[in-house]
Amino acid sequence: MGLGLGALLKAGGLAGTDYDSIVSINIFIALLCSCIVIGHLLEGNRWVNESITALVMGLITGGVILLVTNGTNSRILVFSEDLFFIYLLPPIIFNAGFQVKKKQFFRNFMTIILFGAVGTLISFVIITLGAMGLFKKLDVGPLELGDYLAIGAIFSATDSVCTLQVLNQDETPLLYSLVFGEGVVNDATSVVLFNAIENLDIGHFDALVLLNFIGKFLYLFFTSTILGVAAGLFSAFIIKKLCFARHSTDREVAIMMLMAYLSYMLSVLLDLSGILTVFFCGIVMSHYTWHNVTESSRITTKHSFATLSFIAEIFLFLYVGMDALDIEKWRLASSSPKKPIALSAIILGLVMVGRAAFVFPLSFLSNLSKKEARPKISFRQQIIIWWAGLMRGAVSIALAYNKFTASGHTAVRVNAIMITSTVIVVLFSTMVFGLLTKPLLSLLIPPRPGLTMSSQLSSQSILDPLLGSLLGSDFDVGQTTPQYNLQYILTAPTRSVHRLWRKFDDRFMRPVFGGRGFVPFVPGSPVERSAPESHLGTVTEAENS
């Protein structure tokens, strides 16, 4: 299902011939470089990140192209949902799972699942019902039940990039973990929900169809997760047994990249959720596979995955900025932009209401379930979590194109209205809400006086961003392990459940699949070329405690 270069470039405008196509690619790459440079220069104040920079650059570039082509074109490349889902989304989601601090993620796992899965379903219901009641008053066009359900799934997908860029995961680990984890699970849930809706028999909707829909959703959710875990374990077993590093470090890096991408494509082939699969594949790879390779391979893989994800995100926002000025869709949508703007305002209102409908009640339930010693979600943190989920991004754009377009464009008025409205929502939420994120965080969570930029920089070595989330991602040690039974597991604090998993992991999983402190010494193996002996001794001691 891969797309050739010729399929991604469209004749007309700046890409009429092969030479023009090469020129277009050069321009787009130059724009990517410009976004990175400008984003870096603006990083000091943390007001504008690369996503907002790319959107603005895309708008400016789109306006220039409109002038050059006399209003006939505003884009260099033609967007394709296949391009997004097959080539751009996998590195973004995999890197999210690969970089996640597992200790914080799984310590708050139930709260993250509440927000990311249950909360997304609540938001989906509110947006769907609100759209059914309000869209008809605007005379949008002939929308069916399946369209309204798809709209609910499309605008339930959040994009918390701006908030994560400002949050300090060392200063506010609970808040960062909740925003990050909920964002990933939310994207996966939205896509699974959207796919289940596309396969739903709307014409014969009854209780049996609803039960079938719920069953399909749960099947996709859990099967996709299991596939990702299996792919990650398989890659760890292969590298541990074959010791690729004795021959070539390149083989280690290659097998990790290819296995991650294979897990995603296999999930797509089986009509599962590729997002969930590649996310949990990334978590498992960071827990087992990453520790089975040499230190040079570790640094290479971390940089490679992060770089691919970074470029994919900039690419997407840059294109969205250019696509916002596509005159063809605006002409089809309406002779006046009032209708798409009014529709976008309604959608933003429903998003805010749907977000509030689950963040505050579910936070209350989460706080009730926590013991006194566990940090609870304060009201100010709840406001930040609510705010972080108001922004919409690439997933919403891709799902909207998937539902309301064919081959990147549409000739149906109602579809054009929905696409233009989605673009407005993404632009407004990312730029306006994104710019207000910094002052909101400063107001609600003022930075600690002793935490200066210099102290942050001095406390981090060059390997901290690469090794910190992985070497420091296991569970707490050093306390007496109690006797476990079913009643204890159900009533025990989350930290004790982590220790139970750790005990199982050390006894059964790591001896087979490797991992930190469990890699056998073989001449030329990862242990021999890994970190200094004193460092390994500390890690092994921690693992065996």
Side-chain angles (χ1 to χ4, degrees), residues 31 53-66 321-322 325:
L31 289 172
T53 304
L55 279 174
V56 175
M57 290 288 293
L59 288 170
I60 295 174
T61 305
V64 172
I65 297 174
L66 275 177
M322 288 187 288
L325 297 179

Side-chain angles (χ1 to χ4, degrees), residues 91-108:
I92 296 175
I93 301 300
F94 176 80
N95 184 65
F98 199 73
Q99 301 279 2
V100 66
K101 286 191 174 183
K102 298 186 292 296
K103 183 177 180 178
Q104 285 293 332
F105 181 82
F106 286 103
R107 177 175 292 177
N108 303 299

Side-chain angles (χ1 to χ4, degrees), residues 39-294:
H40 172 72
L41 294 176
L42 297 175
E43 187 180 12
N45 295 325
R46 304 299 290 265
W47 279 77
V48 181
N49 60 4
E50 280 81 3
S51 300
I52 298 177
T53 304
L55 279 174
V56 175
M57 290 288 293
L59 288 170
I60 295 174
T61 305
V64 172
I65 297 174
L66 275 177
L67 295 176
V68 172
T69 60
N70 296 321
T72 60
N73 190 19
S74 65
R75 297 161 300 181
I76 298 174
L77 302 180
V78 174
F79 185 87
S80 168
E81 61 272 12
D82 291 333
L83 168 67
F84 173 78
F85 281 107
I86 295 180
Y87 298 113
L88 298 178
L89 188 61
I92 296 175
I93 301 300
F94 176 80
N95 184 65
F98 199 73
Q99 301 279 2
V100 66
K101 286 191 174 183
K102 298 186 292 296
K103 183 177 180 178
Q104 285 293 332
F105 181 82
F106 286 103
R107 177 175 292 177
N108 303 299
F109 185 73
M110 292 308 300
T111 305
I112 289 173
I113 292 298
L114 271 178
F115 286 159
V118 179
T120 302
L121 293 176
I122 295 174
S123 179
F124 160 76
V125 172
I126 291 177
I127 294 174
T128 300
L129 294 178
M132 293 176 65
L134 297 175
F135 281 16
K136 295 179 180 178
K137 297 181 180 180
L138 290 177
D139 189 26
V140 175
L143 291 173
E144 300 178 352
L145 177 60
D147 297 323
Y148 288 113
L149 293 174
I151 290 171
I154 290 169
F155 292 104
S156 295
T158 65
D159 187 352
S160 53
V161 171
C162 293
T163 307
L164 292 174
Q165 292 253 338
V166 179
L167 282 176
N168 188 315
Q169 60 179 326
D170 295 320
E171 187 177 1
T172 56
L174 172 63
L175 185 58
Y176 188 95
S177 174
L178 292 178
V179 172
F180 174 83
E182 189 238 335
V184 176
V185 177
N186 167 276
D187 285 347
T189 304
S190 299
V191 175
V192 170
L193 196 60
F194 181 85
N195 291 336
I197 291 171
E198 290 295 283
N199 298 324
L200 185 65
D201 186 8
I202 303 296
H204 302 83
F205 192 82
D206 52 20
L208 185 61
V209 173
L210 178 61
L211 291 176
N212 182 55
F213 171 76
I214 297 174
K216 180 71 172 179
F217 176 82
L218 296 176
Y219 168 78
L220 289 174
F221 203 94
F222 289 106
T223 307
S224 302
T225 301
I226 293 173
L227 178 60
V229 172
L233 292 176
F234 185 59
S235 69
F237 184 80
I238 290 177
I239 291 182
K240 179 175 180 292
K241 290 299 181 182
L242 299 183
C243 290
F244 283 105
R246 288 183 299 177
H247 310 288
S248 172
T249 301
D250 297 338
R251 290 189 175 92
E252 291 180 331
V253 178
I255 198 67
M256 290 183 69
M257 288 185 172
L258 293 175
M259 284 298 299
Y261 192 66
L262 178 63
S263 70
Y264 181 87
M265 294 307 300
L266 185 60
S267 180
V268 173
L269 181 65
L270 298 176
D271 292 329
L272 303 176
S273 171
I275 291 181
L276 273 176
T277 297
V278 78
F279 176 70
F280 279 96
C281 180
I283 290 180
V284 173
M285 277 193 174
S286 68
H287 189 66
Y288 297 108
T289 313
W290 191 79
H291 294 282
N292 295 344
V293 301
T294 61

Side-chain angles (χ1 to χ4, degrees), residues 320-396:
V320 169
M322 288 187 288
D323 188 62
L325 297 179
D326 182 18
I327 301 299
E328 178 185 356
K329 284 196 290 288
W330 286 101
R331 287 173 178 170
L332 287 171
S334 177
S335 57
S336 171
K338 292 182 179 179
K339 184 165 293 186
I341 292 176
L343 193 65
S344 302
I346 292 175
I347 293 173
L348 283 170
L350 292 174
V351 167
M352 298 175 75
V353 173
R355 184 85 185 159
F358 76 83
V359 168
F360 300 106
L362 293 184
S363 296
F364 176 76
L365 293 177
S366 176
N367 288 337
L368 286 180
S369 65
K370 292 182 178 180
K371 305 296 182 180
E372 292 297 329
R374 301 286 293 162
K376 296 186 178 182
I377 309 173
S378 67
F379 181 71
R380 293 188 175 187
Q381 290 177 329
Q382 294 175 31
I383 294 177
I384 294 174
I385 294 172
W386 170 77
W387 182 268
L390 295 180
M391 285 162 273
R392 296 297 178 264
V395 174
S396 294

